[in-house]
Amino acid sequence: MFFSTKTKGYFVEQSDHAMLLARTSAPVSPMVIEEMRQCPVGDADAIAEAIQIIQPKPGPSGYLNACCGVYPAKRLVRRASLELKRTKEPAYFAELLTTQFRIDPDKYTVHVINAVDGTDYDVSRSTQKEVLFCGLASDDVIVAQDRLLSAGIYPEALELGSVATLGALVDYFTFTKSKTPTLVLEVGTDTTHSFIVSSGGVEASRPIPQGLDAMVPIVQKELGLKDEESAKKLFYSNTFDFTGMGPLLVKKLLKELQSSIGFYEVQTGQSVGSVICTMLPTKLAWLDDAIAAALGVSSTKLDLIPWLGSRHVTIAEGAAPGGVDLRWLGLLSLMTSQLSSNAVVAEKKA
């Protein structure tokens, strides 16, 4: 069967651990999701097989032309409060990037959006004080593009997956009429990006220099393994039940999270009532409940199908082997997020 690249939509998400792919009946909603596939990010054969399923007949370029979401470790997704009287100063935003976020603005591609609704920040008006700085190192743009191209994927649009996901969550909480501030964690290999999100927008953000790999030495010590490599293989393999060790594994991360939550609750008078971990590998999904239990809050369970329907996105029968759960949120966000158009940090025309 021939699938025209002009009428179909193709979406790819590439994170530390997995590559997710989807084909839709149209590039924008209303759309039907026709195929969804997941494979390990480093498995070239599995990725090639998934691409063949998603696009049985390649286009003239030989690549899968797709809207792609990426999660570079040094991504910038930070909320800030602007001094409105200074927003028209030529050097003000560069000063914020340097002093508050400690990055070199000359080496980053950065976009500023309103924290409440995700619209572009308009410097000429300067009426919105709370904003999100969204971006990534210019070198990481090249690295992300090269990784995708080497896998046979041409990124027509390269988006920060975090921004698309946060926009979708704000929209989801609005749809479900949830008023509870939720801690959203993107637990990566080396870094955990934490956010507090509600239907009112992204209310807080903070990167924490601890990720899954920081738990490996604890596994090694507690199980008496000979080296970290053995501990890492066991930790990521899901052949051992680590749930009982959960409180110990998240202890250091927990201190940082409690500090962030405490500051937010004192500043706003609102309580964070739940947590959601959006990027955990399938075999480490149990960490979501471990973190929630350690924080004394609930683990948010999303019912994505009704929300997708509200965005005029439906899923064809059999399109998603294993069902649609939290692991697909980032990919679905590329199709539905109200922030996604503002999350484009690099774009190429096919």
Side-chain angles (χ1 to χ4, degrees):
M1 183 179 293
F2 176 73
F3 297 97
S4 170
T5 57
K6 293 183 179 179
T7 59
K8 300 293 180 179
Y10 298 95
F11 299 87
V12 173
E13 180 187 69
Q14 183 172 264
S15 64
D16 285 354
H17 308 286
M19 182 174 283
L20 307 180
L21 308 93
R23 182 184 72 246
T24 60
S25 61
V28 296
S29 64
M31 64 171 69
V32 177
I33 302 174
E34 299 173 343
E35 289 284 354
M36 301 172 73
R37 288 294 183 272
Q38 175 180 350
C39 43
V41 74
D43 191 333
D45 291 339
I47 293 172
E49 181 180 346
I51 291 176
Q52 173 63 26
I53 293 171
I54 294 295
Q55 188 182 40
K57 187 176 178 62
S61 69
Y63 287 92
L64 175 70
N65 292 353
C67 171
C68 301
V70 296
Y71 299 83
K74 296 180 181 179
R75 62 191 177 276
L76 175 72
V77 186
R78 299 290 301 277
R79 177 168 168 142
S81 297
L82 301 178
E83 296 180 51
L84 295 181
K85 63 182 179 180
R86 296 193 60 195
T87 55
K88 294 181 182 178
E89 295 179 15
Y92 177 57
F93 287 94
E95 178 187 315
L96 277 178
L97 292 171
T98 303
T99 58
Q100 284 198 29
F101 309 139
R102 297 175 183 171
I103 67 171
D104 183 348
D106 292 332
K107 296 182 179 179
Y108 265 69
T109 300
V110 179
H111 195 85
V112 184
I113 60 179
N114 294 310
V116 175
D117 59 13
T119 56
D120 290 326
Y121 184 76
D122 188 344
V123 178
S124 65
R125 294 184 179 179
S126 299
T127 56
Q128 179 65 270
K129 182 179 179 180
E130 302 302 323
V131 300
L132 286 181
F133 283 83
C134 309
L136 73 168
S138 301
D139 288 346
D140 284 346
V141 175
I142 298 172
V143 171
Q145 289 174 333
D146 287 347
R147 287 180 66 190
L148 289 163
L149 288 169
S150 67
I153 299 164
Y154 183 90
E156 290 187 305
L158 189 67
E159 303 190 7
L160 273 180
S162 299
V163 183
T165 299
L166 291 171
L169 283 171
V170 171
D171 190 58
Y172 178 88
F173 293 141
T174 300
F175 171 72
T176 59
K177 296 181 172 56
S178 171
K179 301 295 184 182
T180 304
T182 298
L183 178 67
V184 179
L185 301 178
E186 295 178 345
V187 186
T189 302
D190 303 310
T191 305
T192 296
H193 291 264
S194 71
F195 309 94
I196 296 176
V197 179
S198 73
S199 58
V202 179
E203 302 189 22
S205 64
R206 182 189 173 195
I208 299 171
Q210 293 181 38
L212 295 172
D213 279 359
M215 302 178 189
V216 173
I218 302 171
V219 171
Q220 180 191 0
K221 179 181 178 181
E222 292 300 309
L223 298 182
L225 300 174
K226 61 180 181 179
D227 55 49
E228 282 196 13
E229 188 59 32
S230 300
K232 187 173 184 177
K233 288 181 179 178
L234 182 62
F235 181 56
Y236 283 99
S237 69
N238 199 31
T239 56
F240 182 86
D241 185 359
F242 285 101
T243 52
M245 203 183 297
L248 190 59
L249 293 175
V250 302
K251 185 176 181 181
K252 289 184 178 180
L253 178 61
L254 187 68
K255 289 182 179 179
E256 300 292 341
L257 295 177
Q258 287 173 327
S259 174
S260 297
I261 291 172
F263 180 79
Y264 168 80
E265 292 182 340
V266 168
Q267 290 291 107
T268 65
Q270 298 186 82
S271 297
V272 174
S274 60
V275 65
I276 178 172
C277 298
T278 63
M279 290 179 57
L280 289 173
T282 303
K283 293 179 180 179
L284 296 180
W286 55 269
L287 272 170
D288 188 297
D289 288 330
I291 293 172
L295 289 172
V297 299
S298 62
S299 175
T300 300
K301 308 302 179 186
L302 304 182
D303 187 3
L304 295 175
I305 302 301
W307 166 69
L308 285 173
S310 75
R311 297 288 105 205
H312 308 292
V313 177
T314 56
I315 302 176
E317 185 176 352
V324 178
D325 53 27
L326 183 59
R327 64 186 159 151
W328 295 102
L329 177 62
L331 185 70
L332 296 171
S333 298
L334 296 176
M335 307 172 195
T336 62
S337 174
Q338 299 305 298
L339 292 182
S340 62
S341 62
N342 296 321
V344 178
V345 293
E347 185 175 62
K348 289 183 176 181
K349 298 300 180 182

